Amino acid sequence: MRRIIQAVVLLAVSSPLWGQVEKTFTWVNPTSYVDGTVMPPSDIKQTTISVAPTSGGTPTLVLVSTGAASTYTSLPVFTSGTWYARAQTTSISLGTTSGYSNEAVFTVGVCQANPLSCTPRAPTNLSVQ
């Protein structure tokens, strides 16, 4: 866990904030355990979102949403590129963590991450009469 926190801090301080983007993650919480019995929302300890620069890769960022929330808005930490996110739910009563959700892919564009360096192209076909 300490290495994950260090990675998050390193990611946050290694790039200027003007070159980063925040993202909002949403998901549907589980309503049952793997054996089919009902899982009440009150038994959800947290949802952990792992974000990596490669599909199924080692996370470079781990976000934790506590309780039964189903949305999480990150700090502005995403630089330009393609990112892959997956989520897991942890139970309070059992202390167990689910498998991973589907993988959600998102892209942060160069202009989105760094608007100050992204200028429009010059006009064309100017004429004077």
Side-chain angles (χ1 to χ4, degrees), residues 61-121:
L61 180 64
V62 175
L63 310 167
V64 177
S65 175
T66 58
S70 59
T71 186
Y72 183 93
T73 300
S74 73
L75 293 172
V77 294
F78 295 102
T79 55
S80 63
T82 301
W83 295 90
Y84 301 83
R86 24 186 210 173
Q88 294 176 287
T89 297
T90 301
S91 163
I92 292 171
S93 64
L94 302 174
T96 56
T97 299
S98 72
Y100 284 108
S101 68
N102 61 296
E103 193 168 65
V105 180
F106 63 96
T107 302
V108 176
V110 173
C111 291
Q112 184 183 15
N114 193 358
L116 297 178
S117 70
C118 207
T119 58
R121 294 184 186 270

